[in-house]
């Protein structure tokens, strides 16, 4: 029997969870995932041992009742232990196999998956400096992903400033990715690393804006990534190439469908 290296609780499916799962495909880390559809996560007790709550446990009088703060509306049920392990109270929420240590932020969960494997298969670079360069890409992806999160949550009713801010973040991020891919086959060098995995998941998630073209049009706006293939051809091809590989496709499913056209 193989033992668990990492446990993750989240709404599912979630591209932020796929980061660790894709890494696991390459390095063999055993990851146990639990959770439910986004709209059902309010029926769960958020804890190191998450469980579905009975109807009579889901009341405002519950000691676990908290107001959703980012992306969730209404009441969520989070234990004090959960909030100690996860001070920002977010999912994906990872735990060490014994549940004692909480790991938050999907890029850190991705790192934890790779660190927990017996052989990281070079996903985190060959030495301190390569690992640190990979961290640089992960940080840049997190900054982009935060902008994308705000943009997508508000996409039905954007201010001029919000749209311009996202357009600026997009141009900055993609310009860097395009340049990095001008000199090497992968973002951080000649081999696949965590940088590429985070890029596919974070940028792939941003590209959900294509499903809101009508909502954008009503606001006299166009999808920011409408000219992605022409403006950032290397970054675009890298996304499609990686997304089609079996280790990615197993988790992404048809998430990138329609982009190639
Ligand atoms: N940058 C974080 C984002 C996590 C995040 O913001 N999660 C939101 C849902 S999208 C959450 O758990 N919100 C909990 C709440 O609303 O209380 C990551 O990559 O893990």
């Amino acid at each position: 029997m193989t033992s668990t290296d990492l446990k993750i609780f989240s709404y599912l499916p979630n591209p932020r969870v796929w980061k660790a799962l894709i890494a696991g495909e390459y390095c063999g880390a055993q990851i146990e995932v639990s959770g439910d559809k986004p709209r059902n996560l309010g029926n769960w007790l958020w804890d190191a041992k998450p469980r579905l709550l009975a109807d009579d446990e889901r009341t405002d009088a519950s000691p676990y009742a908290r107001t959703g703060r980012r992306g969730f509306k209404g009441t969520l049920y989070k234990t004090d232990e959960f909030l100690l392990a996860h001070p920002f109270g977010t999912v994906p929420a990872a735990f060490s196999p014994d549940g004692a240590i909480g790991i938050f932020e999907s890029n850190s969960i991705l790192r934890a998956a790779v660190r927990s494997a017996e052989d990281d298969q070079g996903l985190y670079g060959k030495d301190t400096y390569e690992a640190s360069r990979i961290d640089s890409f992960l940080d840049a992806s997190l900054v982009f992903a935060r902008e994308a999160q705000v943009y997508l949550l508000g996409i039905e009713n954007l201010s001029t400033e919000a749209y311009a801010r996202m357009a600026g973040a997009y141009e900055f991020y993609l310009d860097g990715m395009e340049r990095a891919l001008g000199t090497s086959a992968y973002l951080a060098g000649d081999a696949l690393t965590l940088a590429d995995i985070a890029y596919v998941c974070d940028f792939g998630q941003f590209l959900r804006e294509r499903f809101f073209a009508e909502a954008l049009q009503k606001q006299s706006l166009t999808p920011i990534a409408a000219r992605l293939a022409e403006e950032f051809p290397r970054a675009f091809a890298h996304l499609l190439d990686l997304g089609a590989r079996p280790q990615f496709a197993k988790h992404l499913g048809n998430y990138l469908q329609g982009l190639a056209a």
Side-chain angles (χ1 to χ4, degrees), residues 98-238:
D98 62 2
I101 298 179
I103 302 144
F104 44 94
E105 284 299 335
S106 54
N107 286 350
S108 292
I109 298 171
L110 167 63
R111 292 180 181 97
V114 170
R115 287 181 177 132
S116 71
E118 265 173 39
D119 179 352
D120 74 6
Q121 301 290 333
L123 285 175
Y124 209 167
K126 288 192 291 293
D127 59 32
T128 302
Y129 298 100
E130 286 190 8
S132 301
R133 179 168 163 76
I134 291 162
D135 283 338
S136 310
F137 279 103
L138 295 181
D139 286 356
S141 278
L142 171 58
V143 171
F144 173 78
R146 173 61 185 147
E147 297 288 345
Q149 183 184 40
V150 174
Y151 173 70
L152 288 172
L153 285 172
I155 199 160
E156 312 263 358
N157 187 17
L158 293 165
S159 66
T160 312
E161 294 73 28
Y163 182 80
R165 186 172 166 125
M166 186 68 243
Y170 171 87
E171 199 279 327
F172 186 83
Y173 180 65
L174 267 294
D175 189 53
M177 295 314 201
E178 189 71 6
R179 187 166 299 114
L181 291 167
T183 49
S184 58
Y186 294 88
L187 285 168
D190 295 331
L192 180 90
T193 69
L194 304 189
D196 303 285
I197 295 173
Y199 164 67
V200 169
C201 295
D202 284 329
F203 189 50
Q205 187 163 25
F206 166 78
L207 290 173
R208 284 186 59 246
E209 74 150 3
R210 70 191 183 281
F211 302 121
F212 297 91
E214 209 175 303
L216 288 169
Q217 198 181 16
K218 280 188 189 146
Q219 301 166 75
S220 306
L221 299 170
T222 49
I224 290 170
R227 300 192 57 247
L228 170 63
E230 301 90 76
E231 288 175 339
F232 302 105
R234 289 189 288 261
F236 180 57
H238 196 54

Side-chain angles (χ1 to χ4, degrees), residues 11 14 16 19 46 66-73 76 78 88-92 104-107 109 142 145-146 149 153 202 205:
Y11 63 86
N14 182 350
R16 296 185 177 101
K19 294 178 184 179
W46 294 30
R66 331 268 172 180
T67 304
R69 299 182 62 193
R70 185 175 275 187
F72 283 96
K73 292 195 183 85
L76 297 169
K78 306 178 186 178
F88 301 102
T90 52
V91 287
F104 44 94
E105 284 299 335
S106 54
N107 286 350
I109 298 171
L142 171 58
R146 173 61 185 147
Q149 183 184 40
L153 285 172
D202 284 329
Q205 187 163 25

